[in-house]
Amino acid sequence: MNLFDVYPLNDIEIVKAAGSNVWDAEGQEYLDMYGGHAVISIGHTHPHYVKRITDQLHNLGFYSNSVKIPLQNALAEKLGQVSGKTDYQLFLCNSGAEANENALKLASFYNGRKKIIAFKGAFHGRTSLAVSATDNPKIIAPVNETDNVVFLPHNDVEALQNAFKEYGNEITAVIIEGIQGVGGIKEASIPFLQAIRSLCDEHNAVYIADSVQCGYGRTGHFYSHDYAGVSADVYTMAKGMGNGFPIGGISIAPKFQPWHGMLGTTFGGNHLACAAALAVLEVMEQEKLMENAQAVGKYLIDSLKEIEGIIEVRGRGLMIGIELPAEKAAVKKNLLFKQHIFTGEAKPNVIRLLPALSLTMQQADQFLENFKIALKG
């Protein structure tokens, strides 16, 4: 049997990792400025993280949600404390797409409506409803097509107001990333997020803050949307939540009332996943990683803005987009194969930086020095 060939692969096999460095099968060391799509939040193979999971595995790896799992309660308490949403409720799943799928389903249960407002450039996942709210027709199969999703221009308050005038009480939810990742590191403006909050309140629609890539401390705020000074009704999360162990979740405002069977999952909130997620939050607190992300991110952004040959530098904290002219399309490839630095991209020509929140100033300087070399060709 062969693998189903859906991923374009770099001819590199990673066999070892520590902190913000990885090594391939030939022993070559790389600086990891991408963290496997923003997944590595506290650094590769952090000792506390490894011990947490190992200790749990020695006791119990899995049992289903048909029994009490105290680790889930401990995770909910710690997440509420670190995020500042102490009165919210937690539902655990396995991935970001599942988190967004469940958030949209929850919204529809709440107000009995069907229409969803999403935005140009959005990426919310690949499951049935999440992919319908994703602005990429190529990955929406015919079975996923629906008239229930309305795409609006990003950061256009007037278009949003007009949509609420047109659809009014048909709208179940507005879903938005605080900073679009796949869309090219584009930040939602403060007035725009505040308008979403106000219009959702006025029309009893649900404000869903997709924090799968942009959340979990990456911007210096726990949820990137927090910089707008308003609270969402539901926050979705995954990626950095487990530092590589699959886990996702939705943080749900107190106004939502659960009932048995409303949402469900086999693997969501399992013992190992909760141990991993607790380790992440503990390390984030102990090592002040949100503060580090803010400081090192600001340094990187400010430094990048001084480099000639860049069209624009966007982002916040350690979620950074570097837009390059078309003739510099080879920079990402050069960084990987010549400078040995992993980065990401967003089409058409944006370098995405999503490193561990523990990235040091020295490693930031290492990237900047090598980026200048790669930029020159």
Side-chain angles (χ1 to χ4, degrees):
M1 181 183 290
N2 293 322
L3 293 173
F4 198 53
D5 188 11
V6 293
Y7 300 114
L9 300 177
N10 293 306
D11 189 19
I12 297 171
E13 179 190 357
I14 299 301
V15 297
K16 187 177 74 168
S20 288
N21 295 104
V22 298
W23 289 261
D24 68 17
E26 308 301 319
Q28 176 63 56
E29 181 179 349
Y30 299 78
L31 176 63
D32 186 6
M33 294 294 290
Y34 196 52
H37 303 300
V39 166
I40 302 301
S41 50
I42 61 171
H44 293 279
T45 62
H46 190 288
H48 180 67
Y49 173 82
V50 172
K51 186 176 188 305
R52 259 289 201 172
I53 297 175
T54 305
D55 288 349
Q56 181 58 49
L57 186 57
H58 281 305
N59 291 325
L60 175 65
F62 176 82
Y63 206 78
S64 74
N65 284 302
S66 62
V67 299
K68 292 181 178 179
I69 303 177
L71 280 169
Q72 293 181 351
N73 302 90
L75 176 56
E77 183 176 352
K78 176 61 75 173
L79 180 61
Q81 174 193 338
V82 177
S83 69
K85 313 294 182 186
T86 55
D87 58 343
Y88 278 51
Q89 307 158 88
L90 179 64
F91 175 77
L92 293 165
C93 53
N94 307 284
S95 68
E98 286 177 70
N100 285 328
E101 194 86 15
N102 280 291
L104 291 164
K105 186 177 180 180
L106 179 67
S108 189
F109 274 134
Y110 170 73
N111 53 29
R113 304 171 188 167
K114 296 181 180 179
K115 202 163 289 292
I116 297 160
I117 300 295
F119 300 98
K120 295 292 184 181
F123 188 96
H124 297 297
R126 293 176 179 267
T127 53
S128 183
L129 191 53
V131 79
S132 298
T134 291
D135 186 25
N136 183 354
K138 185 178 180 180
I139 64 171
I140 300 175
V143 73
N144 303 131
E145 292 174 356
T146 174
D147 294 330
N148 290 327
V149 180
V150 177
F151 286 98
L152 300 179
H154 192 245
N155 279 336
D156 189 331
V157 173
E158 184 178 356
L160 182 67
Q161 291 169 335
N162 289 337
F164 270 93
K165 285 178 185 176
E166 181 176 355
Y167 300 109
N169 294 333
E170 295 178 61
I171 298 171
T172 183
V174 177
I175 184 167
I176 185 168
E177 301 154 271
I179 301 176
Q180 291 184 342
V182 174
I185 314 297
K186 294 178 181 176
E187 189 172 73
S189 72
I190 290 175
F192 194 55
L193 294 178
Q194 290 175 342
I196 292 172
R197 178 68 280 167
S198 176
L199 289 163
C200 284
D201 285 340
E202 183 180 344
H203 294 270
N204 197 34
V206 176
Y207 172 7
I208 300 173
D210 181 339
S211 300
V212 171
Q213 185 173 130
C214 59
Y216 242 77
R218 177 153 297 282
T219 62
H221 297 279
F222 191 82
Y223 299 119
S224 67
H225 305 68
D226 289 347
Y227 64 84
V230 293
S231 290
D233 297 309
V234 181
Y235 295 86
T236 64
M237 64 202 98
K239 292 193 185 294
M241 188 176 186
N243 201 55
F245 199 101
I247 184 170
I250 56 176
S251 184
I252 305 162
K255 69 181 182 182
F256 295 88
Q257 296 301 312
W259 41 267
H260 288 176
M262 184 186 202
L263 304 175
T265 170
T266 296
F267 295 108
N270 68 74
H271 295 75
L272 290 176
C274 287
L278 276 164
V280 168
L281 291 171
E282 288 160 356
V283 171
M284 283 176 66
E285 272 196 315
Q286 292 162 8
E287 300 185 7
K288 301 186 185 306
L289 294 190
M290 285 194 284
E291 293 89 336
N292 186 72
Q294 192 171 51
V296 178
K298 184 179 186 306
Y299 174 71
L300 272 169
I301 290 169
D302 290 346
S303 300
L304 285 164
K305 286 180 177 178
E306 295 176 359
I307 299 174
E308 291 185 7
I310 295 173
I311 293 175
E312 187 179 17
V313 180
R314 298 188 291 268
R316 187 182 290 256
L318 288 175
M319 186 170 187
I320 300 169
I322 310 166
E323 185 172 350
L324 299 175
E327 62 269 22
K328 297 295 183 180
V331 168
K332 179 179 178 293
K333 184 178 179 180
N334 289 342
L335 280 169
L336 181 58
F337 291 103
K338 294 181 180 179
Q339 276 70 48
H340 305 300
I341 296 176
F342 275 94
T343 60
E345 67 178 344
K347 303 298 183 184
N349 203 26
V350 177
I351 300 288
R352 270 196 292 169
L353 304 183
L354 300 162
L357 310 188
S358 55
L359 189 80
T360 66
M361 288 289 189
Q362 182 180 6
Q363 288 165 331
D365 281 331
Q366 180 185 345
F367 169 76
L368 290 166
E369 180 181 340
N370 282 279
F371 177 76
K372 291 174 187 176
I373 295 170
L375 196 60
K376 291 176 181 177

